[in-house]
Amino acid sequence: MTAEFSLAPSSLTDALYDSLRLRIINGEIAAGEKLTEARVSSEYSVARPTAKACLERLTAAGLLRRTAHKTAVVPTFGVEELEDLFIAREAVEKAAIERLSTARTVPQAAVHAQGAIEVAAEQLNFPDQVTADIEFHSALVDAAGSTRLAKMHSLIMGEVHLTMGQFQAHRATSPGNVVGEHAAIMEAIERGDTDGAAQALVTHLENARDRLIARATKEQ
């Protein structure tokens, strides 16, 4: 029997995107699994053009990839891809951090996300911790004042969020570690310590990368 999923009465494509995005990130739709227009249309009782538009959006966000036969598949990440992802992420986020440090400005959205991470860490709520972690880094980049930097980061973070969900990297460290690393970044920004903020960011990203690679290697 085919499962049916209900959608909120907002924009149909947006609601469909949000539902499928969460299912992919949380591993309900697993790495390597195909996601076709027919399947989406059947599970959600939506028209094929709506399903197609959503799959294209998920592909653009890095949450799906098209095969040679144009079938959308949830990507599987190897070690080399994870390393490459963090090379790009470090370049973008470091540029944003340097701009924020010069202005000694920590955006309120980042402060709010940090608070959400602390609550999720105390409750050992790993999905919420991952979501808040993504929001923290996105807030820093968005506040840097560069539209193109924000666009590049958005493309990267789709894949980052997916890998964090697939490999459950936050479960491989003490919940307080991420909180402390974020705090170090924020404190350096507030001091106007550009070098210190950049180093705190690099250390944080290297730790995140190493956790992901360790989990990926274990599962291969």
Side-chain angles (χ1 to χ4, degrees):
M1 181 177 178
T2 302
E4 290 191 4
F5 300 88
S6 60
L7 298 174
S10 57
S11 165
L12 188 60
T13 303
D14 287 347
L16 180 59
Y17 173 82
D18 289 341
S19 178
L20 286 171
R21 177 176 171 275
L22 284 176
R23 291 175 65 198
I24 292 169
I25 288 171
N26 293 335
E28 183 181 337
I29 303 176
E33 192 170 342
K34 296 179 181 179
L35 200 55
T36 64
E37 293 174 20
R39 174 181 171 180
V40 173
S41 179
S42 174
E43 289 185 350
Y44 288 92
S45 298
V46 297
R48 291 285 286 265
T50 301
K52 180 180 179 181
C54 183
L55 294 179
E56 289 175 349
R57 186 173 169 186
L58 289 165
T59 301
L63 299 177
L64 292 174
R65 289 181 186 167
R66 294 282 187 179
T67 66
H69 300 290
K70 297 185 178 180
T71 301
V73 178
V74 178
T76 301
F77 292 85
V79 171
E80 289 186 2
E81 280 194 291
L82 291 172
E83 290 177 340
D84 186 53
L85 181 58
F86 274 84
I87 289 172
R89 185 180 176 187
E90 180 181 320
V92 173
E93 293 193 20
K94 191 174 179 182
I97 289 292
E98 289 172 349
R99 290 178 64 88
L100 294 175
S101 298
T102 300
R104 299 190 176 190
T105 301
V106 176
Q108 274 302 119
V111 175
H112 177 77
Q114 177 72 346
I117 293 170
E118 292 172 358
V119 172
E122 290 174 0
Q123 298 175 346
L124 298 181
N125 186 326
F126 291 100
D128 282 359
Q129 191 176 348
V130 169
T131 299
D133 193 351
I134 296 293
E135 290 174 352
F136 175 84
H137 288 273
S138 296
L140 294 178
V141 176
D142 289 345
S146 169
T147 301
R148 287 172 178 78
L149 205 61
K151 285 182 179 179
M152 288 188 288
H153 192 249
S154 179
L155 290 174
I156 294 168
M157 293 309 281
E159 291 184 318
V160 169
H161 202 167
L162 177 56
T163 59
M164 290 170 72
Q166 285 182 343
F167 297 117
Q168 298 289 298
H170 276 68
R171 296 180 186 272
T173 186
S174 169
N177 286 348
V178 173
V179 172
E181 290 170 5
H182 282 186
I185 295 170
M186 295 168 67
E187 289 167 3
I189 291 173
E190 289 179 334
R191 292 195 307 269
D193 182 358
T194 302
D195 291 340
Q199 185 55 57
L201 172 72
V202 170
T203 298
H204 173 56
L205 294 183
E206 287 178 346
N207 289 339
R209 178 202 62 201
D210 292 347
R211 286 194 298 269
L212 281 173
I213 289 176
R215 301 284 283 203
T217 302
K218 185 177 180 181
E219 294 183 13
Q220 286 180 349

